[in-house]
Amino acid sequence: DFDNTIVRCFGGIDESVFPAGSVTRDLYEQAVNNLRTAFTFVGHQESSRQAFESLRVRFGWHAALDLPLVNLGTPQPESDIVPGAHEAIRRYNKWDYLFYEEILRRFPRT
C-alpha cells in the first residue's frame, strides 16, 4: 500500500492487478489524464482549511464555518528518522512525486 498510492488512486490502478513495483510511465500518464479530464478540484492536506473554504464557497455549503483541526500531534524530530528513509520513500514512490508536482501545477495551493 505504499507504492505510488496517489498515482494508483487517481489512475484507478488496483494493486492486485499491478503489484508493488509495477507502476510505469504509462500508468502514471493514465493518472495524469484522469487528473486533467475528470477533476475540477484537488485540495491539499497542507492547506486543508483553505481548500475546505474554497469548496464551501463554490457549493454554497452553510453547515460549517470552519474545518476543525483534528488528530494533531507533534512531528517526529529529524534526528529520530531512520537514516536513508527519505531516499527509500522517494525511490519507491517516484511516480507519486512526479504526480504531486503535476497536481501543484494544475491545482496550486491556495
Side-chain angles (χ1 to χ4, degrees):
D1 291 341
F2 297 109
D3 173 89
N4 298 294
T5 303
I6 299 171
V7 167
R8 290 176 180 282
C9 289
F10 277 80
I13 301 164
D14 191 311
E15 193 165 292
S16 66
V17 178
F18 295 97
S22 65
V23 174
T24 63
R25 175 160 296 281
D26 288 342
L27 298 175
Y28 163 79
E29 292 295 338
Q30 178 179 332
V32 169
N33 182 60
N34 289 347
L35 175 69
R36 291 177 179 162
T37 61
F39 291 86
T40 59
F41 180 86
V42 174
H44 302 274
Q45 184 174 357
E46 302 90 345
S47 56
S48 58
R49 284 183 163 197
Q50 295 88 342
F52 178 75
E53 177 61 20
S54 177
L55 287 172
R56 196 176 72 74
V57 168
R58 176 187 262 182
F59 294 110
W61 295 342
H62 302 287
L65 298 177
D66 200 10
L67 184 66
L69 292 176
V70 296
N71 197 23
L72 295 175
T74 304
Q76 185 177 12
E78 246 342 275
S79 61
D80 289 352
I81 297 175
V82 175
H86 291 293
E87 294 79 13
I89 291 168
R90 184 174 278 282
R91 183 175 67 237
Y92 289 109
N93 293 281
K94 74 176 187 174
W95 299 113
D96 271 2
Y97 277 89
L98 289 171
F99 191 73
Y100 188 64
E101 290 171 11
E102 181 68 25
I103 289 172
L104 289 173
R105 279 190 291 278
R106 291 200 47 83
F107 303 98
R109 289 185 205 149
T110 54

